[in-house]
Amino acid sequence: MQPFRCHRGIAAPLLQANIDTDAIIPSREMRQVSRKGLSSGLFSNWRYTDAAARHPDPLFVLNRPAYANATILLCGSNFGCGSSREFAVWALAEFGIRVIVAPSFGAIFQKNCIANGVLSAIVPDAAVKELARWVEDDPPSRLLTVDLATGLIGSGLGETPFEIAEADRARLLRGVDPVTHTLTHADAIRAFEKQRFEKHPWARVSLAADGKIRTG
């Protein structure tokens, strides 16, 4: 995971409340276990007039030329609610979305964002809508600058503060995903295992070459 410090980009408004993970990527689009190749299925029910044939709907915001290279989404409340599918974040990240600004997020979706290097920035509803109004006059030139270190979104309106848990901020700044974070405690884990198996040798389980389970 790459460290996230400051990002500047085109912001696209998607202000509907309660956009769930099935809207972000419908279940039919999840045909593989890899996180690659998911971006074409992003918002496929809205993005295409015919999802199977991949005919773009010119009215959908991400298909409009002014937002063609959007890397920031300005969203309504409870974005990413519904199922816990991590595919939703994988699809957004592969599409190029680095920041999602919303008044609130689905709890599991927000954790998945942090685990995959996508900043989920909490901003009051009125401020999100104000940013969207400012951006829409000329999206390619009215870029937003999102500074994780300061917790501020810069625009022609000034600086808009956003909220993020300090632990999440630290992980994004360092580019540390959950596995990497766990491995920082490798010495303590090994020490615990050694002590555990010395006290309870029967707890050590291994698989022999013949496929049979061995203990000790």
Side-chain angles (χ1 to χ4, degrees), residues 190-212:
R190 281 191 290 268
F192 172 81
E193 288 178 339
K194 183 175 183 295
Q195 182 185 48
R196 173 74 171 173
F197 293 141
E198 286 175 350
K199 188 175 181 180
H200 304 291
W202 51 265
R204 187 185 295 275
V205 177
S206 61
L207 190 65
D210 60 5
K212 294 181 179 179

Side-chain angles (χ1 to χ4, degrees), residues 1-3 113-118 171-178 180:
M1 196 169 86
Q2 294 297 315
C113 281
I114 302 304
N116 288 279
V118 176
R171 289 186 184 183
L172 285 172
L173 285 170
R174 293 171 56 208
V176 176
D177 62 28
T180 305

